């Protein structure tokens, strides 16, 4: 088992003005989250979110962090959201085993000492996308089956952005300290061509791009201040950190899906500042 936790530093918009492509990729993009048998995490200083992939094969895996966070155990002062994008698996929370089929999610409240991930079939391992944010209170754990997600169809074919937003962790459905999390699925011929684009200075966000239908599918992810946009070329199952000051949208060579996760000042999903088209550059 290999364990890694990268550090992702926070930036000002000024920092990225002259970044090369490689610097942009190095500072905002995370690849290879789901390597078999491994835990690959990133700790971002943007609101101290920790996100990454847990891919158990023959042996169960547990995220063990203590020294890194200055606490006794990982969830001592944190909450955790999980969505399984791989084969069937289980999550065992302090001895309580729960089944996790593809697209099932789970919310694990602050204070649990052991969260153990396992796959049913090592040849088709579960891939647990995990996101953890600082917490101050214990809210109840909750299984988040795909079928129970709050479904929000949005966009249309004329604007090439027909999609469904599945909200797994949403303030209207459940309590968390700050985490919000969901899964957006684009229809054929559509992209996350969300215009007008938006920012939300109150919250940072991360995206995991997934379900690319072919190996040569790519998504051009757009970020940056509205008047100074930059792009990153995303491969399947790679993630991007979005600072609070950045727009976010992505246009692909085919349709695709992505998992978004947010934290920060509020839990108001619709609290977005739309950018007028003539401000985008
Ligand atoms: O399809 C979308 O649009 C989204 O999924 C939007 C993200 O959830 C977002 O940017 C929330 O602020
Ligand atoms: Zn957003």
């Amino acid at each position: 088992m290999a364990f890694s936790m990268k550090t992702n530093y926070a930036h000002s918009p000024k920092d990225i003005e002259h970044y090369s492509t490689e610097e942009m990729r190095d500072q905002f993009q995370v690849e290879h989250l789901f390597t078999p048998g491994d835990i690959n995490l990133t700790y971002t200083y943007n609101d101290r979110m920790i996100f990454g992939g847990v891919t158990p094969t023959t042996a169960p895996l547990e995220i063990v962090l203590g020294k890194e966070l200055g606490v006794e155990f990982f969830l001592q002062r944190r909450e955790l959201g999980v969505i399984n994008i791989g084969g069937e698996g289980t999550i065992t929370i302090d001895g309580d085993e729960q089944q996790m089929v593809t697209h099932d999610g789970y919310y694990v409240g602050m204070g649990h000492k052991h969260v153990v991930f396992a796959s049913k079939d090592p040849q088709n391992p579960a891939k647990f996308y995990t996101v953890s944010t600082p917490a101050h209170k214990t809210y109840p754990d909750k299984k988040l089956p795909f079928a129970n997600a709050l479904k929000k169809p949005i966009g249309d074919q004329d604007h090439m952005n027909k999609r469904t937003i599945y909200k797994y962790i949403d303030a209207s459905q459940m309590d968390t300290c700050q985490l919000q999390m969901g899964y957006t699925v684009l229809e054929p011929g559509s992209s996350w061509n969300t215009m007008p684009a938006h920012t939300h200075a109150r919250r940072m966000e991360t995206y995991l791009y997934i379900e690319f239908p072919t190996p040569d599918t790519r998504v051009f992810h757009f970020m940056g201040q509205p008047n100074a946009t930059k792009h990153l070329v995303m491969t399947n199952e790679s993630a991007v950190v979005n600072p609070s000051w950045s727009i976010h949208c992505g246009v692909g060579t085919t349709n695709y899906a992505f998992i978004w996760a947010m934290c920060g000042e509020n839990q108001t999903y619709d609290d977005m500042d739309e950018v007028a088209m003539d401000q985008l550059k």
Side-chain angles (χ1 to χ4, degrees), residues 192 198-200 203 205 207 248 262 272:
W192 185 26
H198 68 266
T199 58
H200 26 73
R203 299 181 307 279
E205 197 164 10
Y207 315 97
H248 35 284
M262 279 190 281
M272 300 173 185

Side-chain angles (χ1 to χ4, degrees), residues 247-267:
I247 63 149
H248 35 284
C249 52
V251 174
T253 53
T254 67
N255 59 323
Y256 53 90
F258 63 95
I259 294 175
W260 44 270
M262 279 190 281
C263 70
E265 206 63 57
N266 67 21
Q267 295 181 301

Side-chain angles (χ1 to χ4, degrees), residues 30-187:
V30 185
E31 294 185 291
H32 314 299
L33 281 78
F34 299 98
T35 50
D38 299 338
I39 298 175
N40 299 306
L41 304 178
T42 297
Y43 184 119
T44 174
Y45 283 112
N46 287 282
D47 287 310
R48 296 187 180 271
M49 180 185 274
I50 296 176
F51 64 94
V54 180
T55 314
T57 52
T58 47
L61 294 176
E62 178 176 0
I63 300 173
V64 180
L65 292 178
K67 191 166 179 286
E68 297 89 337
L69 308 181
V71 291
E72 285 162 31
F73 55 95
F74 177 36
L75 295 185
Q76 187 171 352
R77 296 175 57 80
R78 285 184 163 269
E79 56 190 358
L80 179 73
V82 179
I83 296 179
N84 179 13
I85 62 161
E88 213 172 313
T90 57
I91 179 170
T92 304
I93 304 158
D94 284 339
D96 177 22
E97 185 180 284
Q98 300 284 336
Q99 302 302 312
M100 294 275 284
V101 300
T102 311
H103 294 148
D104 271 354
Y106 219 97
Y107 170 77
V108 187
M110 184 186 89
H112 286 291
K113 287 205 167 140
H114 298 286
V115 182
V116 179
F117 300 92
S119 290
K120 196 168 172 192
D121 174 7
Q123 301 307 316
N124 177 29
K127 295 179 187 174
F128 296 100
Y129 181 55
T130 55
V131 180
S132 172
T133 46
H136 59 279
K137 185 172 173 181
T138 301
Y139 286 111
D141 302 341
K142 192 169 179 187
K143 171 113 190 235
L144 306 165
F146 173 62
N148 292 4
L150 205 60
K151 198 172 159 185
K152 184 181 167 196
I154 188 169
D156 58 54
Q157 286 297 354
D158 285 353
H159 295 90
M160 302 181 296
N161 62 3
K162 197 159 186 233
R163 62 198 190 280
T164 304
I165 301 175
Y166 296 92
K167 295 181 184 175
Y168 281 63
I169 300 180
D170 185 75
S172 70
Q173 305 296 302
M174 58 186 284
D175 288 322
T176 67
C177 291
Q178 51 171 329
L179 184 62
Q180 295 183 71
M181 198 168 175
Y183 165 58
T184 297
V185 182
L186 282 306
E187 297 216 354

